Amino acid sequence: MIEVLYFAWVRERIGLPRETVQTGAQTVGELVEELRGREERYALAFSDLESLRVAVDQELAGFDAPLKGAREVAFFPPMTGG
Amino acid sequence: MIEVLYFAWVRERIGLPRETVQTGAQTVGELVEELRGREERYALAFSDLESLRVAVDQELAGFDAPLKGAREVAFFPPMTGG
Amino acid sequence: MDVRVQSADFDSGAELSGFIARQQAAPVGATVSFTGIVRDLPGGGLQRMVIEHYPGMTERAIAAMVGQARARWSLADCLVIHRYGEMRPGETIMMVATASAHRADAFAAADFLMDYLKSRAPFWKQEITAEGTAWVAARDEDEAALQRW
Amino acid sequence: MDVRVQSADFDSGAELSGFIARQQAAPVGATVSFTGIVRDLPGGGLQRMVIEHYPGMTERAIAAMVGQARARWSLADCLVIHRYGEMRPGETIMMVATASAHRADAFAAADFLMDYLKSRAPFWKQEITAEGTAWVAARDEDEAALQRW
């Protein structure tokens, strides 16, 4: 069980700010593959991984990051603070 | 006739903030030579030209700057503002 | 060190006065501040800006940047305030202030923190005009600016 | 553009608030400020600092620097306040503020103005301790900093 969070247009495309996901995915990439397979809105949100950023347990990570022990994964576009 | 101003330790060594000088000097360097010849306190103030800066009519200048038309010459140490 | 993530508007000048006042026990010489203001769109028409953020991660990310800045430069103190939620043109979005004995350190650390806040703190800006709502795209030059450090 | 050479103490935070407020007609995005504070000597014991200046040339020199900064960077506005006369540790010596649509321009112009104010504006600092009075020597690194521009 992992908490998956979505921000900005990722949140809008998926239609949810967060959800709890039952998954056996070993990496962020595998989790993305699972989510893509669910419904069109997920496939759309994850259609271009280059335009997405990932955080695992609130630290920036890559799509190859392992999920073992992770409680929280977040997907969002490049940040625009400041 | 030219107005000569002294600042910081140059003013202290010479003992005056400003004076009007009757001079035929063509350049700042010639003016310095004249002043040096006056008295020991001038010789002391102008003993190390590398540690002095010059402004002619309130613009930074070199010791070779011409004095033709100048109304005001100032001598001071390197600036320490900010 | 003081990091605040808040929705409330604030006065960066008043914050700067407070920041300088709290250095009075050991005055530091140099203080640099950056203030970001909501500006209108080039053609006008910005009604408001909305900033979304990632509570929890935002504070961690900013604390990490501040830690890097302190490791890299000689800083006596540092302040980061960043808003989220709704704001209108002319309102303050965020500020950074740094205090150091050396002006070069105060400038570099503030500049560094700004570059990192732009591209590494989880904030997303949305612009609302009469035509609708648009997410602000990240700029390549903001990402490239990180290479300076 | 606002340049003030004065003996009176001032609050740089209040000045920053005023500077930002006067951009409200066309908010600019980025504002950078630098504030210089009288700090104590490394071993302590500074009673006061006295700054001498060259009235007339000071204003001209600062106006010339501001003109160079405006020619070089995109600046919406800029403020320089520099004190002369007596001040005590913790008091504000001077400040610079710049406003631009671009944070890089606001940072660079403030940094540039500071380097020029240090070595090209006719101010001379004197430190007064129980041992007496000493003129602050110009630092080679301040002169060298001008080569950056």
Side-chain angles (χ1 to χ4, degrees):
Chain A
M1 296 251 289
I2 202 159
E3 200 65 12
V4 183
L5 285 76
Y6 309 112
F7 291 97
W9 57 253
V10 183
R11 172 180 55 69
E12 291 177 337
R13 287 191 193 173
I14 292 177
L16 281 174
R18 62 194 299 151
E19 60 186 318
T20 306
V21 174
Q22 192 80 42
T23 179
Q26 299 295 303
T27 64
V28 172
E30 288 179 26
L31 174 62
V32 167
E33 280 313 305
E34 278 187 25
L35 293 169
R36 266 178 176 157
R38 282 181 162 189
E39 280 177 58
E40 183 58 28
R41 59 196 167 105
Y42 287 94
L44 183 67
F46 290 106
S47 60
D48 176 17
L49 297 190
E50 297 241 326
S51 66
L52 284 185
R53 299 291 178 269
V54 184
V56 176
D57 287 338
Q58 305 189 352
E59 298 276 357
L60 284 173
F63 285 91
D64 56 352
L67 288 183
K68 192 169 155 54
R71 296 174 312 276
E72 190 172 302
V73 175
F75 296 101
F76 41 79
M79 296 163 268
T80 54
Chain B
M1 297 250 290
I2 202 158
E3 199 67 11
V4 183
L5 286 76
Y6 310 112
F7 292 96
W9 57 253
V10 183
R11 172 181 53 70
E12 291 178 336
R13 287 188 192 173
I14 292 176
L16 281 175
R18 63 193 300 150
E19 59 187 318
T20 305
V21 173
Q22 192 80 41
T23 178
Q26 299 295 302
T27 65
V28 172
E30 289 180 25
L31 174 62
V32 167
E33 281 314 305
E34 279 188 25
L35 292 169
R36 265 179 177 157
R38 282 181 161 190
E39 280 177 59
E40 182 57 26
R41 59 196 169 105
Y42 287 93
L44 182 69
F46 291 106
S47 60
D48 175 18
L49 296 191
E50 296 242 325
S51 66
L52 285 185
R53 300 290 177 269
V54 184
V56 175
D57 287 338
Q58 305 189 351
E59 298 276 356
L60 283 173
F63 285 92
D64 56 352
L67 288 183
K68 191 166 155 54
R71 297 175 311 278
E72 190 171 300
V73 175
F75 296 101
F76 41 78
M79 297 162 268
T80 54
Chain C
M1 306 296 140
D2 187 3
V3 173
R4 273 135 64 191
V5 180
Q6 63 184 50
S7 63
D9 196 9
F10 68 96
D11 176 339
S12 65
E15 293 293 341
L16 178 63
S17 294
F19 181 74
I20 290 172
R22 78 183 196 216
Q23 320 298 331
Q24 287 299 310
V28 286
T31 296
V32 169
S33 79
F34 178 93
T35 305
I37 309 285
V38 182
R39 58 178 159 138
D40 206 345
L41 296 169
L46 181 69
Q47 292 173 348
R48 52 191 209 279
M49 173 176 276
V50 177
I51 298 183
E52 183 170 332
H53 80 123
Y54 183 172
M57 179 170 169
T58 307
E59 290 78 0
R60 286 169 71 123
I62 298 175
M65 285 163 210
V66 168
Q68 280 185 59
R70 294 185 70 182
R72 217 159 144 175
W73 293 283
S74 169
L75 293 181
D77 200 357
C78 148
L79 166 71
V80 177
I81 305 174
H82 203 302
R83 291 176 66 195
Y84 58 87
E86 270 199 31
M87 46 207 93
R88 291 175 189 282
E91 283 188 34
T92 302
I93 303 171
M94 51 77 62
M95 82 175 285
V96 159
T98 55
S100 174
H102 310 287
R103 77 182 185 285
D105 286 39
F107 267 115
D111 203 356
F112 168 91
L113 287 170
M114 282 310 305
D115 280 353
Y116 272 77
L117 284 165
K118 280 271 165 196
S119 307
R120 290 291 180 271
F123 291 103
W124 299 276
K125 290 193 184 109
Q126 203 173 26
E127 288 168 342
I128 294 147
T129 64
E131 282 76 52
T133 290
W135 291 100
V136 173
R139 302 184 317 157
D140 290 342
E141 64 218 79
D142 285 336
E143 186 64 32
L146 297 180
Q147 303 306 317
R148 295 194 289 149
W149 307 108
Chain D
M1 307 294 141
D2 186 5
V3 172
R4 274 135 64 191
V5 180
Q6 63 185 50
S7 62
D9 196 8
F10 68 97
D11 177 339
S12 65
E15 293 293 342
L16 178 63
S17 295
F19 181 73
I20 290 173
R22 80 184 196 214
Q23 321 297 331
Q24 288 299 310
V28 285
T31 297
V32 168
S33 79
F34 178 94
T35 305
I37 310 284
V38 181
R39 60 179 159 139
D40 206 345
L41 296 169
L46 181 69
Q47 292 174 348
R48 51 191 211 278
M49 173 177 275
V50 177
I51 299 183
E52 182 170 333
H53 80 123
Y54 182 172
M57 178 171 169
T58 306
E59 290 78 0
R60 286 169 71 121
I62 298 176
M65 285 164 209
V66 168
Q68 278 184 60
R70 294 187 68 180
R72 221 161 140 174
W73 293 283
S74 169
L75 293 181
D77 200 358
C78 148
L79 166 71
V80 177
I81 305 174
H82 203 304
R83 291 176 66 194
Y84 59 87
E86 269 199 32
M87 46 207 94
R88 290 175 191 281
E91 282 188 34
T92 302
I93 303 172
M94 50 77 62
M95 83 176 284
V96 160
T98 55
S100 174
H102 310 288
R103 77 181 184 287
D105 286 39
F107 267 115
D111 202 359
F112 167 91
L113 286 170
M114 282 310 306
D115 280 353
Y116 273 78
L117 283 164
K118 279 272 165 195
S119 307
R120 290 291 180 274
F123 291 103
W124 300 275
K125 290 194 184 107
Q126 204 174 25
E127 289 168 342
I128 293 146
T129 63
E131 281 76 54
T133 290
W135 291 101
V136 173
R139 302 184 319 156
D140 289 342
E141 64 219 78
D142 285 336
E143 186 65 30
L146 297 179
Q147 303 305 316
R148 295 194 289 150
W149 306 109

